[in-house]
Amino acid sequence: MKLESMYQELILDHYKHPRGRGLRDGDAEVHHVNPTCGDEITLRVKYDGETLTDISYEGQGCSISQAGASILNELLVGKQLAEAQKIQALFLELMQSKGKLEPDEAMEEVLEDAVAFAGVSKYPARVKCALLSWMAWKDATAQALGDAERKTA
Amino acid sequence: MKLESMYQELILDHYKHPRGRGLRDGDAEVHHVNPTCGDEITLRVKYDGETLTDISYEGQGCSISQAGASILNELLVGKQLAEAQKIQALFLELMQSKGKLEPDEAMEEVLEDAVAFAGVSKYPARVKCALLSWMAWKDATAQALGDAERKTA
Amino acid sequence: MTQLPGLLDTEAIRKDFPLLDRVVHDGKKIVYLDNAATSQKPRQVLDALNEYYEQHNANVHRGVHVLAEEATALYEGARDKVAAFINAPSRNEVIFTKNASESLNLVANMLGWADEPYRVDSETEIAITEMEHHSNIVPWQLLSQRTGAKLKWFGLTDDGRLDLSNIEEVITEKTKIVSFTLVSNIMGTVNPVEAIVRRAQDVGALVLIDASQAAPHMPLDVQALGADFVAFTGHKMCGPTGIGVLWGRQELLEDLPPFLGGGEMIETVSMHSSTYAPAPHKFEAGTPPIAQAVGLGAAVDYLTAIGMDKIAAHEHAITEYAIKRLLEVPDLRIIGPTTAEDRGAAISFVLGDIHPHDVGQVLDEQGIAVRVGHHCARPVCLRYGIPATTRASFYLYSSPAEVDALVVGLENVRKFFG
Amino acid sequence: MTQLPGLLDTEAIRKDFPLLDRVVHDGKKIVYLDNAATSQKPRQVLDALNEYYEQHNANVHRGVHVLAEEATALYEGARDKVAAFINAPSRNEVIFTKNASESLNLVANMLGWADEPYRVDSETEIAITEMEHHSNIVPWQLLSQRTGAKLKWFGLTDDGRLDLSNIEEVITEKTKIVSFTLVSNIMGTVNPVEAIVRRAQDVGALVLIDASQAAPHMPLDVQALGADFVAFTGHKMCGPTGIGVLWGRQELLEDLPPFLGGGEMIETVSMHSSTYAPAPHKFEAGTPPIAQAVGLGAAVDYLTAIGMDKIAAHEHAITEYAIKRLLEVPDLRIIGPTTAEDRGAAISFVLGDIHPHDVGQVLDEQGIAVRVGHHCARPVCLRYGIPATTRASFYLYSSPAEVDALVVGLENVRKFFG
Ligand SMILES: Cc1ncc(COP(=O)(O)O)c(C=O)c1O
Ligand SMILES: Cc1ncc(COP(=O)(O)O)c(C=O)c1O
């Protein structure tokens, strides 16, 4: 069944047991909505000028979007900003590959659990679900950075 | 050639030699336009309370619309109003028959030269041309009547 | 096979619809239960489109050549058919638009630019309901923002019906227009037209009925409805995409100002000013959806030949059966009326805490096409405190076997996420 | 057979167009010279429509089922094709409408409701030309009436060209929008884009180009044109009826307000307020013309495979030949440019004092389809003091033999009314 390629065990596990969920203190907050299905996420980024010290979130939506936020939290918290951005870019590439990118070991090393989303990229309507929290994170980070720059300026 | 059924000699003759053309004194004036082709007519009715003493007109358009005005003038001027209305109704019926009404002698007696338009009724786009002056006459007559009634009231 | 009273011979009908033979996901024949989003098209409609394009295609109205005359006769003939289908007093009251959304926007815009007594301005009110499709919400929000008119709403009862208890507060002497859906696209609710129309008439407000989910499924008689305008859309009633209808009372269409300007809708144009053609042309600027009107005419013929009352009876039977079977699924909660009375064939539900997106995905894998989301009726989701629903919606070709397939599919969904 | 340099292999091309085999009036094969009104459709476009309806039909965007995904991919794929066809910098700049008229009205309405600096109001001016199609006149007359903005016009020279001698008076510091046709549908004139765009940019006015008669006939590059908006219509370029295009610069589409409200164009809706989806969806309320977009995509593929430059060369050759042959007909006067330079393949003329309606009728009887009337450009007729014209207009499948047939037909007209 093709379905298992989307709903990997790991995704279902993150969905049922989300990591780092809940809103905590942050430097920037964004609210993103997927208009095609109503999935929503509120996400906060805490950034000390070097490391992403926390990414907290609250949201509602399907297993893919919710598991996405959980995996994002697990993967990016504690990372240096540049590294996090590299991970995000690679994840985006994977998701836009329409199922044509087979994750290899190098990719697995970077994306860790997030490679489980490879199967989702075959379902155009769901790619947006998978990317919801990643886009929110990108946006919040840009805001946090802007703030940081303004403060140092 | 089917064309001759539309462009009867008689129609072409009225087109080339219009009867009663030109604007003269009247009790009501209307201006009608056929938006599908831009044919125009300005028509005046003179009505003495009983008889249509004059129908004068000025216009531009195709042979069918111009011949129509000429034949209308010939047919209705000098007629009692009720009779003219009967003629108009019958002409309308003929024109809306989509070529299915074969004019018989009784009809010819009422419509005279206007039966030449029977062939036009097969051409939906041209029926409006044929009716342009008749609709204008009906409208102008209604106005003239309204005025007359208001005067007597 | 399940036998229900009132069922149509779906086996015969399905032969008319090529798409219903479609096979998806390695050999599964499609179970198409997304009819409230759009319907499939019978062969007869596709034939009419092809014949139009292959034999008669021309621009309408302004030609003397034979193709232009044929195209015009076909286009205007479609107007006659639609007029008869909705029992319009006059064919000139039938305006072709691109979809129901344009029809609804057309009315909102006419009223914004109208003279008294129709003009919507900051002294006046607009009334709609909480169960409207976004296409019958956003035009009024825009009109309200742009004119300052107050937008008021009928609320919903817990069982998915309109709450008319405060009708005198929602529709007041200030109300210029009341716009509501005859059948809810998300809950299937059939709304009580008479009570609303009576109140609107008492205060002199116009009434616009959104019949997008009614025209495909039941006999529609605009005179019996007593409304001033009725809007619906072709693609949900076996017709092509790209065509909608607005019916309006003749006097109103005469008095109200045009919306889009352009070719076909004018009487005469000069640099100084323009005058407008009489309705319906006044509201049909530019080259109309000619082929689509012809297709809609063929759809109307098709539905009429089967009989709208028979179609309504069929859907009633299917809906009754589907509600019964769905309520057997553990943790399934129907959003909207839970009986088949005063209800159409769109059934929304939630399945435990499995997100509708996930429900739809797992059903799709089994070849079952349902719609998930807020169905362009987000206020309903907010009202019932849910993010979205899964919606199964039926049509004249839907069979009890397809209901059974849905129920089995939902069991599989539960197992998958269990 | 007449051989002209640059001609396409019309014999091969005509095989793609089923309607061109149509026989009218007892055995006469149609000579279709009404292409400026609408074009015929190649088999490839009809196949795409049928395949869409038979295999993939579903509503777009909001579905997780396979049909909805396929329909969405086809619809959005058509947007990609159109974007490539007009060299748009981004696919998101391509808005699907129902026809060119809606596209033009959309811009007029956006500007009426816009904030500064785009807002058209009583302090501002609008500039159009005397050779516009009514669809590019009436929207501006309506906007001018409703906002108080002043409507200004470029006049015409005696030989059917735009008179730009007073460009600084027509386009001023107060001008917010300049809207003009790239190719006149009545006279065939190709207008000088650069001079107008330069002046508009100097004063900070937006430019809207009506490319309805250009997109079907020549390579169209919206970036090279330098305009802010470009409008055209599907049915004139081998596509179905019921679809048009508006291209607009991304920043403008972001800044300008929506026009029609409804499903698909929103981001989120509540009873309190709504937010809009990004362009193009912001301007596509309701179920879009899905099948028609797919059909337009197929038309674009068809035209591209032949090559728009080749089509332009073919039409140039035919136009040159047609002008030469027409001028041989006694008493025939061409309204518009009398050479093939800077001119499209629509040729209007009057024939002595025989009314165009009568000319068209007698040509029709011979199987020759031309259009007669004011061609939705009545100001041009007024300008040249004529009630109407007869217009022959050519396309990629038009042959020199058809020009010859027209000339013979006109001789017969003269005999008939002689
Ligand atoms: C120059 C021009 N602009 C606009 C239009 C309007 O196109 P449509 O009728 O498809 O809206 C036409 C054709 O009718 C045209 O020739
Ligand atoms: C109740 C209702 N109103 C309006 C619409 C809008 O129809 P369309 O999208 O064809 O404009 C729909 C369907 O989408 C609907 O279900």
Side-chain angles (χ1 to χ4, degrees):
Chain A
M1 201 178 185
K2 236 171 75 192
L3 214 53
E4 268 87 36
S5 83
M6 171 185 299
Y7 291 116
Q8 301 267 332
E9 269 308 319
L10 204 111
I11 291 182
L12 292 179
D13 183 61
H14 273 274
Y15 172 48
K16 287 173 194 160
H17 312 287
R19 327 289 200 261
R21 191 182 173 96
L23 285 175
R24 294 173 295 277
D25 187 33
D27 299 312
E29 173 180 310
V30 299
H31 178 73
H32 275 213
V33 176
N34 179 349
T36 48
C37 60
D39 283 6
E40 290 184 35
I41 191 156
T42 307
L43 184 143
R44 289 187 192 156
V45 164
K46 188 131 190 83
Y47 176 60
D48 67 5
E50 200 168 318
T51 307
L52 291 159
T53 54
D54 195 14
I55 301 170
S56 64
Y57 64 95
E58 203 43 273
Q60 60 177 16
C62 65
S63 55
I64 303 297
S65 71
Q66 299 309 298
S70 171
I71 288 181
L72 173 133
N73 169 282
E74 200 175 65
L75 203 54
L76 300 193
V77 172
K79 289 277 190 313
Q80 307 252 316
L81 179 62
E83 204 188 330
Q85 285 169 331
K86 226 181 66 195
I87 295 172
Q88 195 266 348
L90 189 62
F91 185 70
L92 189 66
E93 196 189 328
L94 176 65
M95 292 318 297
Q96 292 176 339
S97 73
K98 303 190 175 163
K100 277 172 205 129
L101 218 68
E102 255 321 319
D104 55 11
E105 259 179 51
M107 188 182 274
E108 263 199 72
E109 203 147 300
V110 181
L111 292 185
E112 302 180 27
D113 280 6
V115 293
F117 282 86
V120 177
S121 73
K122 276 177 249 163
Y123 296 81
R126 306 307 293 276
V127 168
K128 279 190 191 165
C129 307
L131 288 176
L132 183 67
S133 52
W134 291 82
M135 290 305 174
W137 172 76
K138 200 180 158 191
D139 199 5
T141 305
Q143 281 185 28
L145 269 180
D147 279 354
E149 271 163 26
R150 234 171 293 132
K151 274 180 221 154
T152 52
Chain B
M1 202 178 184
K2 235 171 74 189
L3 214 52
E4 269 88 34
S5 82
M6 171 184 300
Y7 292 115
Q8 301 268 331
E9 270 307 320
L10 203 112
I11 292 183
L12 292 179
D13 183 60
H14 271 275
Y15 172 48
K16 286 173 194 161
H17 312 288
R19 327 290 200 258
R21 191 183 173 96
L23 285 175
R24 294 173 295 278
D25 187 32
D27 299 313
E29 173 180 311
V30 299
H31 178 72
H32 274 213
V33 176
N34 179 348
T36 48
C37 60
D39 283 5
E40 290 184 34
I41 190 157
T42 306
L43 183 144
R44 287 186 193 156
V45 164
K46 186 130 192 83
Y47 175 60
D48 67 5
E50 200 168 316
T51 308
L52 292 158
T53 53
D54 195 13
I55 301 170
S56 63
Y57 65 95
E58 202 44 274
Q60 60 177 18
C62 65
S63 56
I64 304 296
S65 71
Q66 298 310 298
S70 171
I71 287 180
L72 174 134
N73 169 282
E74 200 175 65
L75 203 53
L76 299 193
V77 172
K79 290 276 189 316
Q80 307 251 316
L81 180 61
E83 204 188 330
Q85 285 169 332
K86 226 182 64 195
I87 296 173
Q88 196 266 348
L90 188 63
F91 186 71
L92 189 65
E93 197 190 327
L94 175 65
M95 292 319 296
Q96 291 177 339
S97 73
K98 302 189 176 163
K100 276 172 206 130
L101 217 67
E102 256 322 318
D104 55 11
E105 259 178 50
M107 187 181 274
E108 263 199 72
E109 203 147 297
V110 181
L111 292 185
E112 302 180 27
D113 280 7
V115 293
F117 282 86
V120 176
S121 73
K122 276 177 249 163
Y123 296 81
R126 305 308 292 279
V127 168
K128 279 190 189 163
C129 306
L131 288 176
L132 182 67
S133 53
W134 291 82
M135 291 303 175
W137 171 75
K138 200 180 159 191
D139 199 4
T141 304
Q143 280 185 29
L145 269 180
D147 279 356
E149 270 162 26
R150 233 171 293 133
K151 271 180 224 154
T152 53
Chain C
M1 250 188 54
T2 312
Q3 289 299 336
L4 307 172
L7 279 197
L8 289 167
D9 178 358
T10 49
E11 228 170 290
I13 288 176
R14 294 174 77 87
K15 294 211 176 84
D16 292 332
F17 291 81
L19 190 134
L20 297 179
D21 287 332
R22 173 72 197 273
V23 161
V24 297
H25 297 312
D26 311 322
K28 299 188 193 79
K29 194 151 171 186
I30 191 117
V31 175
Y32 185 74
L33 303 181
D34 193 15
N35 292 287
T38 200
S39 71
Q40 297 307 333
K41 322 300 174 203
R43 166 71 47 216
Q44 289 83 340
V45 168
L46 304 185
D47 287 348
L49 290 174
N50 284 318
E51 193 185 317
Y52 170 76
Y53 282 127
E54 292 179 7
Q55 295 289 324
H56 312 291
N57 175 62
N59 213 325
V60 291
H61 294 313
R62 283 160 204 285
V64 288
H65 61 77
V66 60
L67 294 179
E69 293 204 342
E70 290 172 359
T72 304
L74 284 166
Y75 177 68
E76 294 298 333
R79 200 189 305 278
D80 292 326
K81 290 178 185 186
V82 171
F85 186 72
I86 61 174
N87 193 28
S90 157
R91 67 183 307 280
N92 293 329
E93 298 179 339
V94 173
I95 299 165
F96 285 127
T97 60
K98 69 173 173 177
N99 53 25
S101 302
E102 187 191 354
S103 301
L104 297 164
N105 278 275
L106 205 176
V107 177
N109 276 274
M110 287 194 293
L111 299 181
W113 295 118
D115 291 328
E116 286 304 343
Y118 306 115
R119 190 177 185 84
V120 168
D121 60 27
S122 61
E123 302 296 298
T124 63
E125 296 177 358
I126 301 161
I128 62 174
T129 91
E130 203 171 353
M131 68 166 83
E132 297 312 309
H133 188 280
H134 292 164
S135 292
N136 199 23
I137 296 177
V138 185
W140 306 112
Q141 289 182 328
L142 286 171
L143 183 64
S144 153
Q145 280 160 28
R146 288 169 180 179
T147 61
K150 186 162 179 194
L151 182 57
K152 289 179 142 183
W153 302 69
F154 282 103
L156 306 182
T157 66
D158 287 342
D159 55 346
R161 304 252 170 219
L162 277 189
D163 176 4
L164 297 186
S165 62
N166 60 346
I167 189 167
E168 317 224 318
E169 286 141 56
V170 177
I171 303 178
T172 74
E173 296 289 334
K174 288 187 171 176
T175 309
K176 289 280 179 171
I177 174 87
V178 182
S179 187
F180 67 98
T181 192
L182 185 43
V183 181
S184 158
N185 73 305
I186 178 168
M187 298 185 294
T189 322
V190 174
N191 286 320
V193 173
E194 214 190 305
I196 301 174
V197 168
R198 200 182 319 119
R199 172 66 186 162
Q201 285 176 347
D202 281 352
V203 300
L206 296 176
V207 175
L208 164 55
I209 292 183
D210 177 359
S212 301
Q213 295 289 345
H217 303 293
M218 56 180 71
L220 193 67
D221 179 335
V222 296
Q223 299 189 55
L225 287 176
D228 299 289
F229 302 100
V230 174
F232 52 99
T233 199
H235 65 91
K236 294 190 204 279
M237 52 191 287
C238 297
T241 57
I243 183 132
V245 173
L246 177 68
W247 168 85
R249 282 201 296 113
Q250 184 125 27
E251 317 85 86
L252 292 171
L253 298 183
E254 270 162 29
D255 287 355
L256 289 167
F259 174 39
L260 302 182
E264 311 285 352
M265 58 73 76
I266 52 88
E267 185 178 78
T268 172
V269 170
S270 74
M271 287 167 67
H272 184 66
S273 70
S274 300
T275 57
Y276 307 118
H281 304 294
K282 177 174 160 188
F283 300 103
E284 294 183 353
T287 303
I290 308 171
Q292 293 73 36
V294 173
L296 180 58
V300 158
D301 284 345
Y302 182 82
L303 294 173
T304 305
I306 291 175
M308 290 310 296
D309 46 353
K310 295 227 177 76
I311 292 172
H314 172 80
E315 293 185 21
H316 184 80
I318 287 280
T319 304
E320 195 156 50
Y321 181 66
I323 289 177
K324 182 177 129 260
R325 294 290 331 264
L326 284 172
L327 289 177
E328 290 164 18
V329 177
D331 298 332
L332 187 146
R333 174 181 152 218
I334 288 178
I335 306 298
T338 52
T339 71
E341 304 324 305
D342 291 330
R343 164 188 231 310
I347 308 179
S348 268
F349 55 85
V350 292
L351 188 62
D353 58 4
I354 308 173
H355 192 279
H357 232 148
D358 293 318
V359 175
Q361 193 79 53
V362 179
L363 287 177
D364 173 60
E365 201 66 28
Q366 303 169 71
I368 303 167
V370 297
R371 190 132 303 217
V372 300
H374 48 52
H375 314 289
C376 295
R378 190 163 172 271
V380 170
C381 293
L382 296 177
R383 162 67 175 83
Y384 295 106
I386 47 176
T389 80
T390 303
R391 181 186 69 190
S393 53
F394 305 92
Y395 204 12
L396 75 162
Y397 39 66
S398 303
S399 67
E402 291 183 312
V403 173
D404 296 338
L406 172 64
V407 169
V408 171
L410 289 170
E411 291 295 353
N412 288 332
V413 172
R414 292 188 65 243
K415 266 179 236 150
F416 193 87
F417 290 100
Chain D
M1 251 189 53
T2 312
Q3 289 299 335
L4 306 171
L7 278 197
L8 290 167
D9 179 358
T10 50
E11 228 170 290
I13 289 176
R14 294 173 78 88
K15 294 213 176 83
D16 292 332
F17 291 81
L19 189 134
L20 297 179
D21 287 331
R22 172 74 195 274
V23 161
V24 296
H25 297 314
D26 312 321
K28 299 188 194 79
K29 195 153 172 184
I30 191 119
V31 174
Y32 185 74
L33 303 181
D34 193 16
N35 291 287
T38 200
S39 71
Q40 297 307 332
K41 321 302 172 202
R43 167 71 45 216
Q44 289 83 340
V45 167
L46 303 184
D47 286 349
L49 290 174
N50 285 317
E51 193 186 316
Y52 170 76
Y53 282 127
E54 291 180 7
Q55 296 289 324
H56 312 290
N57 175 62
N59 213 326
V60 291
H61 294 313
R62 282 160 204 286
V64 289
H65 60 77
V66 59
L67 294 179
E69 293 204 342
E70 290 172 359
T72 305
L74 284 166
Y75 177 67
E76 293 299 333
R79 200 188 305 278
D80 292 326
K81 290 178 185 186
V82 171
F85 186 71
I86 61 174
N87 194 27
S90 158
R91 67 182 307 280
N92 294 330
E93 298 180 338
V94 173
I95 299 165
F96 285 127
T97 61
K98 69 173 174 177
N99 53 25
S101 302
E102 186 190 354
S103 302
L104 297 163
N105 278 276
L106 205 177
V107 177
N109 276 275
M110 287 194 293
L111 298 181
W113 295 118
D115 292 326
E116 288 301 344
Y118 307 116
R119 190 177 184 83
V120 168
D121 59 26
S122 62
E123 302 296 296
T124 62
E125 296 177 358
I126 300 161
I128 62 174
T129 90
E130 202 172 353
M131 70 165 81
E132 296 313 309
H133 188 279
H134 292 164
S135 292
N136 199 23
I137 295 177
V138 184
W140 305 111
Q141 288 181 328
L142 286 171
L143 183 64
S144 153
Q145 280 161 28
R146 288 169 180 179
T147 61
K150 186 163 179 193
L151 182 57
K152 289 178 142 185
W153 303 68
F154 281 103
L156 305 182
T157 65
D158 288 341
D159 56 346
R161 305 252 170 219
L162 277 189
D163 176 4
L164 296 186
S165 62
N166 60 345
I167 190 167
E168 317 223 318
E169 285 141 54
V170 177
I171 303 177
T172 73
E173 296 288 335
K174 288 187 171 174
T175 310
K176 288 282 177 168
I177 174 85
V178 181
S179 187
F180 67 98
T181 192
L182 186 43
V183 181
S184 159
N185 73 305
I186 178 168
M187 299 185 294
T189 321
V190 175
N191 286 319
V193 172
E194 215 190 305
I196 301 174
V197 168
R198 201 183 319 119
R199 172 66 186 162
Q201 286 176 346
D202 280 352
V203 300
L206 296 176
V207 174
L208 165 56
I209 292 183
D210 177 0
S212 301
Q213 296 288 346
H217 303 292
M218 56 180 71
L220 192 68
D221 179 335
V222 295
Q223 300 188 55
L225 287 176
D228 299 289
F229 302 100
V230 174
F232 52 99
T233 199
H235 64 91
K236 294 188 204 280
M237 52 191 288
C238 297
T241 57
I243 183 132
V245 173
L246 177 68
W247 169 84
R249 282 202 295 113
Q250 183 125 28
E251 316 87 85
L252 291 171
L253 298 183
E254 270 162 29
D255 287 355
L256 289 167
F259 174 39
L260 302 181
E264 310 286 352
M265 59 73 75
I266 52 89
E267 185 179 78
T268 171
V269 170
S270 74
M271 287 167 66
H272 184 66
S273 70
S274 300
T275 56
Y276 308 117
H281 304 294
K282 176 173 160 189
F283 301 102
E284 294 183 354
T287 303
I290 308 171
Q292 293 73 36
V294 173
L296 180 58
V300 158
D301 283 345
Y302 182 82
L303 294 172
T304 306
I306 292 175
M308 290 310 296
D309 46 352
K310 295 227 176 76
I311 291 172
H314 172 80
E315 294 186 20
H316 184 80
I318 287 281
T319 303
E320 195 157 48
Y321 180 66
I323 289 177
K324 182 177 128 263
R325 294 293 328 268
L326 285 172
L327 289 177
E328 290 164 17
V329 177
D331 297 332
L332 187 146
R333 175 181 150 217
I334 288 179
I335 307 297
T338 51
T339 71
E341 304 324 306
D342 291 330
R343 161 190 233 311
I347 308 179
S348 268
F349 55 85
V350 291
L351 187 62
D353 58 3
I354 309 173
H355 192 279
H357 231 149
D358 294 319
V359 174
Q361 193 78 53
V362 178
L363 288 177
D364 173 60
E365 201 66 29
Q366 303 170 71
I368 302 167
V370 296
R371 191 133 301 219
V372 301
H374 48 53
H375 314 290
C376 293
R378 189 162 172 271
V380 170
C381 293
L382 296 177
R383 163 67 175 81
Y384 295 107
I386 47 176
T389 79
T390 303
R391 181 186 69 189
S393 53
F394 306 93
Y395 204 12
L396 74 163
Y397 40 66
S398 303
S399 68
E402 291 183 311
V403 173
D404 297 338
L406 171 65
V407 170
V408 171
L410 289 170
E411 292 295 353
N412 288 331
V413 172
R414 293 187 67 243
K415 267 181 235 151
F416 193 85
F417 290 100

